Amino acid sequence: MDELISLPPFLPLLLGGLFAAILPLYGQRAIYLLAPIAAMMAVSALDFDSVFPVTIAGTTVHFLAVQENSKLFGLAFCVAISASLLLGLKHAKKQEMAAALVAASGGLGIVFAGDLISLILFWEILMLACAYLIFVGGMKQSRAAAKRYLIMHILGGSFLLAGIAGTITDSGIAAFPSFQLLFSMPESVAEWSAWLMLMGVMVNLAALPFSAWLPDSYSAASPFGMVPLSAFTTKSALFVLMQVFVGSTPLIVLGLGMLFYGAMMALTTSHIRRHLCYALIAQMGVMVMAVGIGSSAAMAGVAVLAFCHIGYNGLLMTAAANIIRTTGKYHLSDLGGLWRQMPVTSGAILLGALCMAALPFTGTYIGKFYIAESLAATDHPFLYFLFVAGTSIAIYALFPWYALSGKSKFPNAKEVKIEIHIAYILFAALAVGNVSIAEYSWVSVGKQLLLIAGSLGAFFLLLPMLKRRKVMLRDIDYIYRTALPYVFALINQFCGVLAKEWLKFIKRLKAMAHQFVSRAFGIYANHTLYGIATTTALIIILCAVLLSVTSNVGDAIRVYAQ
Amino acid sequence: MNIILYPIIGFCATAVAIALSKILDRVLRDKKDHSDG
């Protein structure tokens, strides 16, 4: 196949992000409009033979390759960054907009990465841009959360880098490998590398036990910052998972853990942004499970689901950002009756929640239907039951229920401006845009509607149990955030003792050396000819012995090396 | 699977999820107020 040099889609966004940080207002606005359009055109123009090789220090790095699903993810990323920029046009800081553009370029770079070297490069670009986006969020806890985000993602990046280094050393090439991991101890370099790569990807996917960074850092970003943040990191990690780890059985357990943990925490928390973050983790769990199953139906499902997820998640995050900005409230328990004042935002929330709950005739339904069928076909019916529990509409109905129903608590709340309506439309197009009626059978639609009806029945019956309280929940990070200071204190104490002993030893050594020198060369003090001659002879003999020893050792090493 | 089982599965699964979330709420509740988000 002939190779075609093409423009990599990450380039307009990366350059746009860098220039947006230094240009005046009109220049910035032109970039916010043109850079995503240029990236979208670049994605559309790509073909399977498109390449963009760059030789760096004698090594050719492939910055562009079109894999299966690359264009699907690329298109979703371009729409997501366009909608995010529209949202931030009037309310976000210049630095946030620039960081969002660079983060989008990192995400696009990952989904179009031609080899493992360009993958790790874009992985780090994405991490740095996201950390900066959190850092400039302007919330009380933004800076501390950005540091925690960096620590966690440096750890993840190091795992991935170690895995990539092992894979390249083992195979001799930097192309994307394909691993099918099992529950067994790794034995070869390739298997160790695969597990290390998986751990790196798990960090970005917010998989257990690394999941706590997501609600911690995303809820500490500005309301605008959360929208682009939630679009790129987890989805680009999912893309890598889909390329490298299809059919790896540990992913089923991992995904199930994410699904259940995310769903339970979303049901329990009252904080709007954390609630959405946990719902995001639960949805990612569904996709990770599907990659673990690895059948063609499951993989088709996960591709559709990931595409739609960027849309409906964006819708909910954008709506949450607007509600927080308008009302100044961060907890579900503080909201109520907003449908009167904010009808468009209310529509966006309802659509997002229905898509999340996989209502028939939304794109998500097709994805979840494929995955549910694959799960039902396995020998473990409890997997299907847990899947239904984790994807229950009760979890996703909480936000619309508390925000929209009841008496109006904010009579002066105002609906958002027209540019944010366009952002809603863009996200909504992603969420439902790829529905094909041919995919539906009326029996499956009936089954799904009955499943939703049962879930809604339980939701309304048990609604008093779901009363929100304005409290925060301890997450998994509570373990390492409380345990680590003790560990560091212990290390510190141990180092203190070690340093004390070391100082004592050095002191003793110094005293001994001083004693030796004063005895050996004290004779100089007499300034007699005999004293000087004896000392000089002693030094010459010492040097000769040292030279002979070193040359013999050097010869021995040389012989051994030959 | 019989079609009549679907609403029952949906109901039971949701009830289990809500009950578990109540237990989690008791175990994981942090006393501090974080009202500014």
Side-chain angles (χ1 to χ4, degrees), chain A residues 35-55:
Chain A
I37 291 174
M40 218 178 287
M41 284 167 71
V43 170
S44 310
L46 291 178
D47 212 342
F48 280 103
D49 53 359
S50 301
V51 289
F52 189 75
V54 175
T55 305

Side-chain angles (χ1 to χ4, degrees), chain A residues 136-389:
Chain A
V136 295
M139 309 285 290
K140 200 167 72 183
Q141 64 277 52
S142 294
R143 291 186 170 210
K147 284 176 199 162
R148 289 196 292 272
Y149 176 93
L150 260 185
I151 292 169
M152 199 43 108
H153 284 262
I154 286 171
L155 182 78
S158 307
F159 282 140
L160 186 68
L161 184 61
I164 286 174
T167 306
I168 293 175
T169 311
D170 186 59
S171 64
I173 51 167
F176 274 84
S178 178
F179 298 116
Q180 236 179 347
L181 295 174
L182 299 168
F183 280 112
S184 59
M185 269 300 284
E187 283 167 2
S188 59
V189 176
E191 281 179 14
W192 275 107
S193 310
W195 276 100
L196 281 168
M197 275 182 78
L198 181 62
M199 280 172 74
V201 176
M202 273 166 63
V203 172
N204 271 28
L205 273 172
L208 291 170
F210 308 112
S211 48
W213 67 263
L214 196 147
D216 176 44
S217 52
Y218 286 9
S219 64
S222 71
F224 156 76
M226 197 173 160
V227 180
L229 277 172
S230 65
F232 306 119
T233 309
T234 45
K235 256 63 75 186
S236 53
L238 178 79
F239 178 84
V240 176
L241 205 70
M242 287 168 73
Q243 295 304 313
V244 183
F245 296 102
V246 176
S248 298
T249 37
L251 292 181
I252 301 177
V253 179
L254 197 73
L256 200 61
M258 285 170 74
L259 170 64
F260 224 65
Y261 154 85
M264 291 300 105
M265 296 297 277
L267 263 179
T268 315
T269 192
S270 162
H271 194 279
I272 304 167
R273 301 209 284 171
R274 282 180 167 262
H275 168 79
L276 292 177
C277 286
Y278 287 123
L280 192 159
I281 293 174
Q283 296 287 311
M284 293 310 298
V286 173
M287 296 178 225
V288 171
M289 273 173 87
V291 178
I293 296 166
S295 64
S296 54
M299 292 311 290
V302 75
V304 177
L305 198 51
F307 183 84
C308 294
H309 183 262
I310 296 172
Y312 64 76
N313 193 54
L315 264 182
L316 290 169
M317 296 281 183
T318 309
N322 290 325
I323 287 177
I324 290 169
R325 207 181 46 239
T326 312
T327 63
K329 301 291 180 192
Y330 287 87
H331 285 263
L332 288 172
S333 51
D334 291 335
L335 303 179
L338 279 170
W339 67 271
R340 292 180 188 85
Q341 286 78 31
M342 304 176 80
V344 180
T345 300
S346 304
I349 293 173
L350 273 177
L351 182 63
L354 289 175
C355 287
M356 232 177 195
L359 192 82
F361 305 111
T362 61
T364 329
Y365 166 68
I366 295 292
K368 282 193 181 161
F369 172 73
Y370 280 140
I371 296 165
E373 290 292 300
S374 304
L375 277 174
T378 61
D379 299 332
H380 308 290
F382 76 94
L383 280 181
Y384 180 70
F385 184 79
L386 290 177
F387 177 79
V388 174

Side-chain angles (χ1 to χ4, degrees), chain A residues 359-503:
Chain A
L359 192 82
F361 305 111
T362 61
T364 329
Y365 166 68
I366 295 292
K368 282 193 181 161
F369 172 73
Y370 280 140
I371 296 165
E373 290 292 300
S374 304
L375 277 174
T378 61
D379 299 332
H380 308 290
F382 76 94
L383 280 181
Y384 180 70
F385 184 79
L386 290 177
F387 177 79
V388 174
T391 53
S392 166
I393 194 167
I395 300 153
Y396 313 116
L398 276 176
F399 182 32
W401 180 259
Y402 278 95
L404 313 182
S405 69
K407 284 182 185 170
S408 178
K409 292 182 182 173
F410 307 95
N412 298 326
K414 281 182 184 162
E415 185 53 279
V416 292
K417 297 270 185 321
I418 187 75
E419 72 270 10
I420 301 179
H421 291 185
I422 301 170
Y424 282 146
I425 291 167
L426 286 174
F427 278 131
L430 281 184
V432 295
N434 61 346
V435 175
S436 159
I437 299 295
E439 303 269 3
Y440 291 91
S441 79
W442 291 108
V443 177
S444 66
V445 169
K447 283 177 187 174
Q448 181 68 4
L449 285 175
L450 285 172
L451 209 61
I452 290 176
S455 302
L456 273 178
F459 173 73
F460 285 115
L461 198 71
L462 302 173
L463 201 56
M465 284 175 77
L466 290 168
K467 203 175 169 211
R468 304 286 90 188
R469 288 188 199 86
K470 224 158 106 177
V471 287
M472 293 291 276
L473 296 174
R474 295 187 183 112
D475 205 332
I476 286 177
D477 62 341
Y478 181 77
I479 300 168
Y480 50 78
R481 276 164 74 174
T482 46
L484 275 183
Y486 290 108
V487 174
F488 285 135
L490 252 169
I491 293 170
N492 194 21
Q493 210 168 356
F494 176 72
C495 289
V497 172
L498 213 69
K500 227 173 183 178
E501 290 303 315
W502 175 251
L503 280 175

Side-chain angles (χ1 to χ4, degrees), chain A residues 104-155:
Chain A
S105 82
L108 275 177
I110 290 170
V111 299
F112 287 106
D115 57 27
L116 294 172
I117 299 170
S118 62
L119 170 72
I120 189 74
L121 197 73
F122 289 116
W123 197 267
E124 299 303 328
I125 289 175
L126 178 61
M127 175 196 74
L128 289 173
C130 288
Y132 186 67
L133 195 50
I134 300 163
F135 190 78
V136 295
M139 309 285 290
K140 200 167 72 183
Q141 64 277 52
S142 294
R143 291 186 170 210
K147 284 176 199 162
R148 289 196 292 272
Y149 176 93
L150 260 185
I151 292 169
M152 199 43 108
H153 284 262
I154 286 171
L155 182 78

